[in-house]
Amino acid sequence: MGTFKLTYKRYGKNAILIEWPKKIDKNILDDVIFFKNKVIQNYTKQIVDVINTYNSLTIIYNNTINIVYDNILDLKSLYGQEISQKKVKNYRWEIPVCYDYKFGLDLGELGLKNNLTLREIISLHSSQIYTVYFIGFLPGFLYLGGLDKKLHIPRKANPRLRIERGSVAIGGSQTGIYPSMSASGWHIIGNSPISFFDIEFKDPCFAKSGDEIQFIPIDLDEHFQIESQVAKGFYELKKSEI
């Protein structure tokens, strides 16, 4: 049964946007995912996609919505119903990250502004367990919650036009990994040699909302070894059920 006061809005000709309180919160994420699964389970034939973010769902219908109030009333009723759901398995993924200065272009700036040594930055960043809230911006880009406040730093005043695939970065109170070459206004502190999106796989991105991420520090030699294994297709990412 829903526990939050939600807002419902028409979002174009064939979509409805549902919003929760605007903050990064694990309880809100759990409620968003629970409602998302309810919608998918009950409207299989009417919808083409359901997209979640930190605090919203966008429900895209397979035809134009004629009377939006009817659809909203149906969704409000569904949100309030107690419906048993099949438990979805979630995993904690161990992501190898090399924090060497070769990759960590902004380690020096982050250390100066936040008064931290390199050892402290690595320890603070890799000791946290991060929640995957949603995937967006780029295919395979994981929006993660749980960054230690000592590592919070405003976005760069002048974004880089190009950063490398696998760059691990901090922007404000968030951290993430760029799955492909991209522009970026975040501070780059390392690099992961694994692949976060592969169109050839049944599930192109291995992680989903509600999963967890733990960063495992590795050195340069380990980075290149794993990168080679990934390229040859026999690197197996470590995970455990949560």
Side-chain angles (χ1 to χ4, degrees):
M1 186 173 178
T3 55
F4 292 92
K5 184 177 181 180
L6 311 185
T7 59
Y8 299 75
K9 302 173 183 174
R10 184 164 193 151
Y11 201 67
K13 294 181 179 179
N14 64 335
I16 290 176
L17 174 67
I18 307 172
E19 295 178 303
W20 278 253
K22 294 185 182 302
K23 59 181 180 180
I24 300 174
D25 183 280
K26 185 66 168 52
N27 291 324
I28 291 177
L29 175 68
D30 290 342
D31 201 59
V32 169
I33 293 174
F34 190 73
F35 194 21
K36 178 180 180 179
N37 291 335
K38 274 186 180 180
V39 171
I40 293 171
Q41 183 176 312
N42 286 272
Y43 294 99
T44 305
K45 295 180 180 178
Q46 296 102 311
I47 60 174
V48 293
D49 204 0
V50 185
I51 303 166
N52 76 281
T53 67
Y54 284 118
N55 43 40
S56 73
L57 277 184
T58 302
I59 302 171
I60 303 172
Y61 293 80
N62 58 14
N63 52 23
T64 300
I65 300 171
N66 293 319
I67 304 176
V68 69
Y69 302 105
D70 289 346
N71 294 67
I72 289 175
L73 281 176
D74 287 344
L75 291 169
K76 285 182 176 179
S77 175
L78 181 63
Y79 181 65
Q81 293 175 27
E82 291 189 23
I83 298 176
S84 61
Q85 296 184 20
K86 183 179 178 181
K87 180 173 171 52
V88 177
K89 288 184 179 179
N90 286 104
Y91 297 96
R92 179 177 298 168
W93 302 90
E94 296 185 13
I95 306 298
V97 174
C98 179
Y99 295 93
D100 191 274
Y101 283 108
K102 172 180 174 60
F103 300 120
L105 307 178
D106 298 309
L107 283 168
E109 182 181 348
L110 175 62
L112 284 173
K113 288 185 175 177
N114 290 21
N115 194 29
L116 296 169
T117 65
L118 175 60
R119 186 186 295 271
E120 289 171 330
I121 292 172
I122 295 172
S123 176
L124 288 168
H125 193 257
S126 61
S127 61
Q128 294 290 102
I129 303 297
Y130 300 92
T131 298
V132 178
Y133 277 81
F134 65 103
I135 300 167
F137 169 58
L138 293 169
F141 185 95
L142 312 178
Y143 279 87
L144 305 175
L147 183 67
D148 191 294
K149 288 185 178 179
K150 292 178 182 176
L151 291 173
H152 291 191
I153 185 170
R155 292 165 59 92
K156 298 180 74 67
N158 297 304
R160 290 188 173 89
L161 297 180
R162 170 176 161 166
I163 59 166
E164 296 302 316
R165 171 181 179 269
S167 292
V168 178
I170 292 174
S173 62
Q174 301 178 89
T175 188
I177 314 105
Y178 288 83
S180 57
M181 198 176 290
S182 169
S184 172
W186 290 17
H187 292 73
I188 310 302
I189 63 168
N191 188 278
S192 178
I194 71 166
S195 173
F196 289 86
F197 186 82
D198 191 330
I199 195 65
E200 300 297 328
F201 292 168
K202 179 183 177 183
D203 296 316
C205 179
F206 57 84
K208 63 182 180 302
S209 297
D211 282 359
E212 294 179 346
I213 296 294
Q214 183 168 20
F215 294 122
I216 308 298
I218 57 174
D219 60 27
L220 273 175
D221 286 342
E222 291 173 299
H223 183 281
F224 295 131
Q225 289 171 12
I226 294 173
E227 188 176 52
S228 174
Q229 292 172 2
V230 170
K232 294 173 182 174
F234 60 78
Y235 180 76
E236 187 171 349
L237 198 58
K238 293 181 180 177
K239 67 176 181 180
S240 56
E241 189 173 343
I242 56 176

XYZ file of all heavy atoms in Angstrom, residues 27-106:
676
model
N 14.201 4.821 0.978
C 12.794 4.448 1.176
C 11.947 4.872 -0.023
O 11.024 4.157 -0.429
C 12.245 5.086 2.455
C 12.863 4.493 3.698
O 13.139 3.298 3.739
N 13.093 5.323 4.706
N 12.250 6.057 -0.561
C 11.524 6.519 -1.752
C 11.837 5.607 -2.933
O 10.939 5.210 -3.685
C 11.889 7.982 -2.066
C 11.318 8.906 -0.978
C 11.376 8.399 -3.446
C 11.688 10.358 -1.146
N 13.113 5.253 -3.100
C 13.469 4.357 -4.205
C 12.719 3.031 -4.097
O 12.187 2.530 -5.102
C 14.975 4.092 -4.212
C 15.429 3.069 -5.257
C 15.254 3.628 -6.662
C 16.871 2.644 -5.036
N 12.670 2.466 -2.891
C 11.957 1.186 -2.713
C 10.494 1.325 -3.123
O 9.919 0.427 -3.753
C 12.051 0.725 -1.255
C 13.459 0.286 -0.875
O 14.261 0.023 -1.791
O 13.753 0.234 0.329
N 9.859 2.464 -2.759
C 8.453 2.681 -3.100
C 8.284 2.876 -4.610
O 7.332 2.366 -5.212
C 7.929 3.914 -2.355
C 6.412 3.919 -2.247
O 5.859 2.966 -1.681
O 5.786 4.869 -2.757
N 9.228 3.610 -5.231
C 9.181 3.820 -6.682
C 9.254 2.475 -7.418
O 8.462 2.194 -8.322
C 10.339 4.740 -7.139
C 10.457 4.754 -8.663
C 10.138 6.160 -6.621
N 10.206 1.640 -7.006
C 10.389 0.345 -7.681
C 9.185 -0.563 -7.440
O 8.726 -1.273 -8.351
C 11.690 -0.334 -7.195
C 12.895 0.477 -7.658
C 11.789 -1.754 -7.723
C 14.219 -0.030 -7.118
N 8.633 -0.525 -6.208
C 7.474 -1.350 -5.885
C 6.289 -0.963 -6.775
O 5.603 -1.822 -7.340
C 7.113 -1.183 -4.403
C 6.088 -2.163 -3.908
C 6.409 -3.497 -3.715
C 4.791 -1.750 -3.628
C 5.463 -4.410 -3.260
C 3.840 -2.657 -3.184
C 4.174 -3.988 -2.994
N 6.054 0.355 -6.912
C 4.952 0.815 -7.756
C 5.243 0.520 -9.233
O 4.351 0.136 -9.992
C 4.717 2.305 -7.533
C 3.408 2.812 -8.092
C 2.344 1.955 -8.347
C 3.240 4.162 -8.360
C 1.136 2.431 -8.845
C 2.041 4.649 -8.859
C 0.990 3.774 -9.113
N 6.487 0.667 -9.639
C 6.865 0.355 -11.023
C 6.518 -1.103 -11.354
O 5.932 -1.384 -12.412
C 8.377 0.583 -11.208
C 8.896 0.246 -12.599
C 10.403 0.498 -12.689
C 10.937 0.176 -14.080
N 12.396 0.454 -14.162
N 6.849 -2.019 -10.454
C 6.541 -3.428 -10.699
C 5.038 -3.694 -10.722
O 4.555 -4.529 -11.488
C 7.224 -4.295 -9.636
C 8.731 -4.301 -9.786
O 9.252 -4.075 -10.881
N 9.438 -4.533 -8.694
N 4.276 -2.948 -9.867
C 2.820 -3.063 -9.900
C 2.278 -2.657 -11.262
O 1.420 -3.336 -11.843
C 2.193 -2.128 -8.857
C 2.050 -2.661 -7.465
C 1.265 -1.624 -6.647
C 1.050 -2.049 -5.220
N 0.291 -1.025 -4.463
N 2.762 -1.532 -11.775
C 2.290 -1.024 -13.067
C 2.610 -2.018 -14.178
O 1.760 -2.351 -15.007
C 2.928 0.356 -13.370
C 2.605 0.790 -14.805
C 2.425 1.404 -12.387
N 3.833 -2.520 -14.190
C 4.239 -3.479 -15.227
C 3.384 -4.739 -15.151
O 2.951 -5.288 -16.172
C 5.739 -3.819 -15.070
C 6.582 -2.593 -15.392
C 6.125 -4.988 -15.972
C 8.056 -2.760 -15.072
N 3.120 -5.185 -13.923
C 2.354 -6.419 -13.707
C 0.902 -6.260 -14.133
O 0.288 -7.204 -14.643
C 2.431 -6.778 -12.219
C 1.760 -8.071 -11.828
C 1.980 -8.379 -10.355
O 3.100 -8.302 -9.855
N 0.918 -8.697 -9.647
N 0.317 -5.059 -13.966
C -1.120 -4.862 -14.187
C -1.475 -4.209 -15.511
O -2.638 -4.197 -15.899
C -1.704 -4.033 -13.050
C -1.825 -4.831 -11.773
O -2.841 -5.486 -11.542
N -0.777 -4.822 -10.960
N -0.502 -3.619 -16.201
C -0.821 -2.913 -17.446
C 0.036 -3.407 -18.611
O 0.427 -2.636 -19.473
C -0.624 -1.404 -17.277
C -1.574 -0.757 -16.326
C -1.198 -0.480 -15.016
C -2.862 -0.413 -16.724
C -2.072 0.111 -14.125
C -3.749 0.180 -15.839
C -3.355 0.442 -14.542
O -4.224 1.021 -13.665
N 0.315 -4.691 -18.623
C 1.231 -5.255 -19.618
C 0.850 -4.878 -21.051
O 1.706 -4.512 -21.861
C 1.261 -6.793 -19.498
O 1.587 -7.133 -18.171
C 2.261 -7.383 -20.463
N -0.469 -4.951 -21.353
C -0.904 -4.738 -22.735
C -1.075 -3.259 -23.093
O -1.129 -2.907 -24.264
C -2.220 -5.473 -22.979
C -2.090 -6.989 -22.871
C -3.423 -7.676 -23.134
C -3.284 -9.191 -23.033
N -4.582 -9.894 -23.229
N -1.166 -2.383 -22.091
C -1.429 -0.977 -22.379
C -0.178 -0.105 -22.449
O -0.232 1.010 -22.937
C -2.363 -0.378 -21.317
C -3.748 -1.016 -21.290
C -3.868 -1.995 -20.135
O -3.001 -2.841 -19.949
N -4.944 -1.870 -19.371
N 0.935 -0.590 -21.916
C 2.114 0.270 -21.830
C 3.263 -0.299 -22.660
O 3.307 -1.488 -22.953
C 2.591 0.440 -20.375
C 2.965 -0.912 -19.759
C 1.525 1.127 -19.534
C 3.579 -0.812 -18.381
N 4.164 0.591 -23.043
C 5.354 0.156 -23.770
C 6.616 0.316 -22.931
O 7.630 -0.325 -23.198
C 5.510 0.925 -25.092
C 4.401 0.555 -26.039
C 5.558 2.428 -24.868
N 6.552 1.191 -21.896
C 7.755 1.355 -21.076
C 7.390 2.050 -19.761
O 6.423 2.831 -19.705
C 8.795 2.196 -21.816
C 10.206 1.928 -21.313
O 10.370 1.097 -20.399
O 11.138 2.547 -21.851
N 8.138 1.758 -18.710
C 8.020 2.449 -17.429
C 9.440 2.808 -16.995
O 10.274 1.921 -16.831
C 7.353 1.570 -16.355
C 7.151 2.377 -15.074
C 6.026 1.021 -16.850
N 9.691 4.106 -16.847
C 11.052 4.577 -16.574
C 11.085 5.228 -15.202
O 10.290 6.123 -14.906
C 11.486 5.612 -17.639
C 11.392 4.997 -19.038
C 12.892 6.123 -17.357
C 11.461 6.017 -20.150
N 12.006 4.781 -14.351
C 12.122 5.410 -13.034
C 13.397 6.229 -12.910
O 14.400 5.968 -13.583
C 12.072 4.365 -11.918
C 13.356 3.585 -11.752
O 13.624 2.657 -12.511
N 14.137 3.943 -10.762
N 13.329 7.276 -12.044
C 14.511 8.056 -11.668
C 14.615 8.009 -10.146
O 14.070 7.114 -9.517
C 14.402 9.510 -12.161
O 13.334 10.148 -11.435
C 14.104 9.565 -13.649
N 15.330 8.993 -9.540
C 15.426 9.026 -8.084
C 14.039 9.057 -7.444
O 13.791 8.408 -6.440
C 16.170 10.288 -7.634
C 17.656 10.240 -7.819
C 18.299 11.139 -8.667
C 18.432 9.319 -7.116
C 19.664 11.126 -8.821
C 19.811 9.296 -7.266
C 20.425 10.203 -8.113
O 21.786 10.177 -8.265
N 13.127 9.843 -8.015
C 11.836 10.070 -7.359
C 10.699 10.248 -8.344
O 9.800 11.058 -8.111
C 11.916 11.294 -6.428
C 12.657 12.434 -7.071
O 12.488 12.672 -8.271
N 13.486 13.122 -6.318
N 10.718 9.525 -9.436
C 9.614 9.638 -10.398
C 9.485 8.364 -11.235
O 10.427 7.578 -11.350
C 9.818 10.845 -11.321
O 10.838 10.588 -12.255
N 8.277 8.211 -11.788
C 8.013 7.183 -12.790
C 7.404 7.865 -14.004
O 6.524 8.722 -13.856
C 6.987 6.163 -12.284
C 7.398 4.999 -11.403
C 6.182 4.105 -11.151
C 8.519 4.200 -12.041
N 7.856 7.501 -15.178
C 7.194 7.927 -16.405
C 6.602 6.678 -17.052
O 7.321 5.732 -17.370
C 8.167 8.600 -17.382
O 8.762 9.730 -16.736
C 7.432 9.070 -18.631
N 5.277 6.692 -17.196
C 4.583 5.546 -17.790
C 4.209 5.915 -19.220
O 3.475 6.878 -19.454
C 3.317 5.200 -16.987
C 3.712 4.890 -15.530
C 2.599 4.008 -17.607
C 2.525 4.740 -14.614
N 4.747 5.169 -20.166
C 4.507 5.453 -21.587
C 3.526 4.418 -22.134
O 3.810 3.214 -22.124
C 5.825 5.411 -22.380
C 6.822 6.412 -21.778
C 5.564 5.741 -23.861
C 8.205 6.316 -22.367
N 2.370 4.906 -22.562
C 1.311 4.025 -23.072
C 1.509 3.770 -24.567
O 2.171 4.555 -25.267
C -0.059 4.654 -22.826
C -0.425 4.739 -21.355
C 0.082 5.767 -20.554
C -1.263 3.806 -20.762
C -0.240 5.850 -19.211
C -1.595 3.883 -19.422
C -1.079 4.908 -18.650
O -1.400 4.984 -17.309
N 0.894 2.695 -25.048
C 1.074 2.346 -26.465
C 0.077 3.048 -27.388
O 0.030 2.759 -28.570
C 1.017 0.833 -26.661
C -0.291 0.242 -26.155
O -1.247 0.978 -25.911
N -0.322 -1.061 -25.987
N -0.721 3.956 -26.828
C -1.583 4.787 -27.677
C -1.828 6.123 -26.992
O -1.432 6.343 -25.842
C -2.912 4.081 -27.970
C -3.590 3.614 -26.698
O -3.320 4.171 -25.629
N -4.438 2.618 -26.795
N -2.468 7.036 -27.709
C -2.723 8.365 -27.161
C -3.725 8.280 -26.004
O -4.712 7.541 -26.079
C -3.298 9.282 -28.258
O -2.341 9.370 -29.315
C -3.587 10.669 -27.726
N -3.459 9.024 -24.946
C -4.370 9.065 -23.794
C -5.507 10.035 -24.125
O -5.266 11.219 -24.395
C -3.638 9.538 -22.532
C -2.497 8.584 -22.200
C -4.605 9.652 -21.362
C -1.584 9.089 -21.102
N -6.745 9.552 -24.098
C -7.889 10.417 -24.425
C -8.387 11.190 -23.204
O -8.537 12.403 -23.242
C -9.017 9.568 -25.021
C -8.631 8.991 -26.369
O -8.010 9.676 -27.192
N -8.954 7.726 -26.603
N -8.662 10.473 -22.121
C -9.143 11.128 -20.900
C -8.134 10.817 -19.799
O -8.183 9.751 -19.167
C -10.551 10.627 -20.525
C -11.507 10.834 -21.692
C -11.068 11.371 -19.292
C -12.900 10.275 -21.456
N -7.215 11.755 -19.584
C -6.099 11.480 -18.681
C -6.563 11.246 -17.247
O -5.933 10.488 -16.501
C -5.073 12.639 -18.756
C -5.641 13.918 -18.146
C -3.774 12.239 -18.068
N -7.682 11.887 -16.850
C -8.147 11.744 -15.469
C -8.514 10.284 -15.163
O -8.319 9.810 -14.044
C -9.343 12.666 -15.219
C -9.014 14.106 -15.499
C -9.479 14.750 -16.641
C -8.194 14.821 -14.607
C -9.149 16.059 -16.903
C -7.859 16.139 -14.872
C -8.332 16.755 -16.020
O -7.987 18.053 -16.280
N -9.052 9.574 -16.148
C -9.385 8.163 -15.938
C -8.121 7.343 -15.685
O -8.082 6.489 -14.794
C -10.130 7.602 -17.164
C -11.546 8.151 -17.281
O -12.026 8.743 -16.293
O -12.150 7.998 -18.359
N -7.100 7.607 -16.487
C -5.838 6.874 -16.297
C -5.218 7.172 -14.928
O -4.705 6.285 -14.243
C -4.838 7.254 -17.396
C -5.284 6.800 -18.760
O -6.273 7.308 -19.286
N -4.586 5.844 -19.343
N -5.286 8.458 -14.531
C -4.700 8.841 -13.238
C -5.466 8.196 -12.080
O -4.871 7.716 -11.108
C -4.673 10.380 -13.106
C -3.606 10.951 -14.056
C -4.384 10.797 -11.659
C -3.558 12.467 -14.105
N -6.795 8.180 -12.197
C -7.587 7.534 -11.142
C -7.233 6.052 -11.016
O -7.119 5.511 -9.914
C -9.089 7.688 -11.440
C -9.705 9.049 -11.096
C -11.162 9.096 -11.544
C -9.610 9.327 -9.592
N -7.059 5.384 -12.157
C -6.664 3.974 -12.143
C -5.308 3.790 -11.439
O -5.122 2.864 -10.647
C -6.570 3.432 -13.568
C -7.942 3.227 -14.198
O -8.932 3.211 -13.453
O -8.003 3.097 -15.433
N -4.367 4.692 -11.753
C -3.029 4.579 -11.155
C -3.070 4.854 -9.654
O -2.397 4.176 -8.867
C -2.067 5.553 -11.852
C -1.710 5.199 -13.299
C -0.981 6.358 -13.969
C -0.848 3.944 -13.346
N -3.878 5.858 -9.249
C -3.992 6.154 -7.814
C -4.573 4.957 -7.069
O -4.117 4.619 -5.969
C -4.885 7.383 -7.607
C -4.212 8.705 -7.948
C -5.145 9.882 -7.667
C -4.449 11.206 -7.912
N -5.343 12.366 -7.657
N -5.573 4.319 -7.668
C -6.174 3.142 -7.050
C -5.151 2.016 -6.937
O -5.043 1.351 -5.896
C -7.374 2.683 -7.882
O -7.900 1.477 -7.378
N -4.396 1.817 -7.998
C -3.382 0.761 -7.997
C -2.320 1.018 -6.935
O -1.885 0.099 -6.235
C -2.729 0.674 -9.381
C -1.652 -0.398 -9.553
C -2.247 -1.790 -9.366
C -1.007 -0.290 -10.935
N -1.899 2.285 -6.790
C -0.864 2.633 -5.796
C -1.319 2.273 -4.380
O -0.518 1.854 -3.544
C -0.547 4.120 -5.888
C 0.529 4.575 -4.930
C 1.836 4.107 -5.047
C 0.244 5.475 -3.891
C 2.832 4.520 -4.166
C 1.233 5.895 -3.015
C 2.528 5.415 -3.157
O 3.509 5.823 -2.276
N -2.629 2.422 -4.114
C -3.136 2.168 -2.772
C -3.444 0.714 -2.479
O -3.747 0.361 -1.335
N -3.396 -0.144 -3.485
C -3.760 -1.548 -3.285
C -2.589 -2.365 -2.740
O -1.429 -2.100 -3.071
C -4.214 -2.175 -4.611
C -5.507 -1.621 -5.151
C -5.835 -2.212 -6.524
O -5.433 -3.319 -6.852
N -6.555 -1.450 -7.323
N -2.938 -3.335 -1.911
C -1.927 -4.283 -1.438
C -1.895 -5.448 -2.414
O -2.865 -6.192 -2.537
C -2.258 -4.769 -0.033
C -2.105 -3.688 1.033
C -2.238 -4.245 2.443
O -2.014 -5.458 2.613
O -2.573 -3.473 3.337
N -0.820 -5.581 -3.138
C -0.687 -6.630 -4.150
C 0.611 -7.383 -3.906
O 1.676 -6.770 -3.754
C -0.669 -6.027 -5.571
C -1.992 -5.315 -5.853
C -0.413 -7.117 -6.614
C -2.025 -4.605 -7.193
N 0.494 -8.693 -3.835
C 1.707 -9.481 -3.646
C 2.499 -9.505 -4.948
O 1.930 -9.562 -6.038
C 1.362 -10.904 -3.222
O 0.592 -11.537 -4.220
N 3.797 -9.420 -4.830
C 4.667 -9.423 -6.005
C 5.745 -10.473 -5.852
O 6.168 -10.792 -4.730
C 5.345 -8.051 -6.176
C 4.412 -6.910 -6.458
C 5.180 -5.622 -6.696
O 6.364 -5.639 -7.006
N 4.499 -4.510 -6.549
N 6.151 -10.997 -6.969
C 7.278 -11.918 -6.965
C 8.537 -11.150 -6.579
O 8.805 -10.074 -7.106
C 7.457 -12.530 -8.353
C 8.561 -13.558 -8.424
C 8.656 -14.135 -9.828
C 9.793 -15.143 -9.912
N 9.921 -15.691 -11.293
N 9.279 -11.684 -5.615
C 10.477 -10.992 -5.152
C 11.507 -10.906 -6.277
O 11.818 -11.907 -6.919
C 11.079 -11.717 -3.944
C 12.337 -11.061 -3.405
C 12.802 -11.719 -2.121
C 14.178 -11.207 -1.699
N 14.292 -9.769 -1.633
N 11.996 -9.702 -6.502
C 13.026 -9.486 -7.516
C 14.393 -9.581 -6.851
O 14.634 -8.955 -5.817
C 12.860 -8.096 -8.177
C 13.984 -7.847 -9.178
C 11.494 -7.996 -8.846
N 15.270 -10.372 -7.419
C 16.606 -10.509 -6.851
C 17.446 -9.272 -7.136
O 17.453 -8.761 -8.251
C 17.311 -11.740 -7.440
C 16.770 -13.069 -6.964
C 17.585 -14.221 -7.520
C 17.047 -15.565 -7.018
N 17.817 -16.692 -7.566
N 18.117 -8.800 -6.098
C 19.068 -7.699 -6.273
C 20.465 -8.169 -5.884
O 20.612 -9.062 -5.046
C 18.662 -6.486 -5.427
C 17.468 -5.759 -6.007
O 16.353 -5.880 -5.521
N 17.684 -4.994 -7.064
N 21.458 -7.543 -6.485
C 22.839 -7.980 -6.285
C 23.741 -6.819 -5.881
O 23.461 -5.662 -6.198
C 23.392 -8.609 -7.579
C 22.642 -9.850 -8.002
C 21.617 -9.785 -8.946
C 22.957 -11.086 -7.445
C 20.925 -10.923 -9.326
C 22.270 -12.231 -7.823
C 21.256 -12.146 -8.767
O 20.565 -13.272 -9.125
N 24.815 -7.182 -5.167
C 25.904 -6.235 -4.912
C 27.044 -6.583 -5.859
O 27.546 -7.705 -5.868
C 26.381 -6.321 -3.460
C 27.541 -5.362 -3.158
C 27.935 -5.426 -1.698
N 26.817 -5.022 -0.853
C 26.781 -5.195 0.475
N 27.809 -5.764 1.092
N 25.728 -4.804 1.158
N 27.435 -5.599 -6.693
C 28.449 -5.800 -7.716
C 29.775 -5.215 -7.241
O 29.795 -4.074 -6.747
C 28.026 -5.129 -9.028
C 26.722 -5.632 -9.558
C 25.482 -5.129 -9.282
C 26.514 -6.737 -10.443
N 24.516 -5.853 -9.942
C 25.117 -6.846 -10.668
C 27.362 -7.638 -11.076
C 24.562 -7.817 -11.485
C 26.811 -8.618 -11.886
C 25.429 -8.699 -12.094
N 30.861 -5.960 -7.419
C 32.191 -5.472 -7.062
C 32.855 -4.898 -8.313
O 33.140 -5.631 -9.266
C 33.032 -6.603 -6.477
C 32.466 -7.139 -5.162
C 33.365 -8.181 -4.518
O 34.538 -8.309 -4.942
O 32.896 -8.872 -3.590
N 33.065 -3.587 -8.287
C 33.580 -2.885 -9.466
C 35.038 -2.493 -9.241
O 35.345 -1.665 -8.365
C 32.761 -1.602 -9.742
C 31.266 -1.927 -9.840
C 33.270 -0.914 -11.001
C 30.895 -2.870 -10.956
N 35.975 -3.087 -9.998
C 37.385 -2.716 -9.833
C 37.644 -1.296 -10.349
O 37.176 -0.923 -11.431
C 38.120 -3.759 -10.691
C 37.113 -4.191 -11.712
C 35.770 -4.097 -11.048
N 38.374 -0.520 -9.532
C 38.683 0.871 -9.916
C 40.145 1.160 -9.624
O 40.636 0.877 -8.529
C 37.804 1.883 -9.140
C 38.255 3.322 -9.439
C 36.340 1.712 -9.496
N 40.838 1.721 -10.604
C 42.220 2.155 -10.433
C 42.214 3.660 -10.153
O 41.766 4.445 -10.987
C 43.053 1.846 -11.674
S 44.775 2.383 -11.512
N 42.716 4.039 -8.958
C 42.719 5.452 -8.555
C 44.082 6.095 -8.835
O 44.414 7.108 -8.224
C 42.390 5.574 -7.068
C 40.981 5.121 -6.683
C 40.744 3.812 -6.264
C 39.912 6.004 -6.726
C 39.468 3.386 -5.886
C 38.631 5.589 -6.353
C 38.420 4.282 -5.934
O 37.150 3.872 -5.563
N 44.874 5.522 -9.733
C 46.189 6.079 -10.053
C 46.022 7.455 -10.701
O 45.026 7.730 -11.377
C 46.913 5.137 -11.018
C 48.361 5.489 -11.199
O 48.660 6.345 -12.069
O 49.213 4.935 -10.474
N 47.054 8.314 -10.513
C 47.003 9.659 -11.104
C 46.921 9.608 -12.632
O 46.512 10.572 -13.267
C 48.225 10.477 -10.671
C 48.122 11.011 -9.261
C 48.899 10.475 -8.227
C 47.246 12.054 -8.956
C 48.806 10.955 -6.937
C 47.152 12.554 -7.655
C 47.927 11.998 -6.654
O 47.824 12.480 -5.367
N 47.344 8.476 -13.220
C 47.231 8.340 -14.685
C 45.778 8.531 -15.133
O 45.516 9.119 -16.189
C 47.711 6.942 -15.110
C 47.464 6.611 -16.578
C 47.968 5.200 -16.898
C 47.588 4.789 -18.326
N 48.157 5.685 -19.337
N 44.852 8.036 -14.305
C 43.429 8.154 -14.624
C 42.740 9.260 -13.819
O 41.807 9.902 -14.315
C 42.710 6.829 -14.347
C 43.218 5.662 -15.139
C 43.730 4.544 -14.502
C 43.175 5.687 -16.529
C 44.197 3.467 -15.233
C 43.640 4.607 -17.265
C 44.154 3.487 -16.617
N 43.169 9.442 -12.582
C 42.499 10.380 -11.673
C 42.920 11.813 -11.926
O 43.687 12.413 -11.157
N 42.387 12.381 -12.993
C 42.809 13.711 -13.446
C 42.550 14.802 -12.411
O 43.229 15.817 -12.393
C 42.080 14.055 -14.758
C 42.180 13.030 -15.888
C 41.365 13.485 -17.092
C 43.640 12.805 -16.269
N 41.558 14.595 -11.547
C 41.185 15.646 -10.586
C 41.450 15.231 -9.144
O 40.918 15.864 -8.215
C 39.703 15.999 -10.771
C 39.415 16.562 -12.148
O 40.131 17.502 -12.561
O 38.518 16.046 -12.824
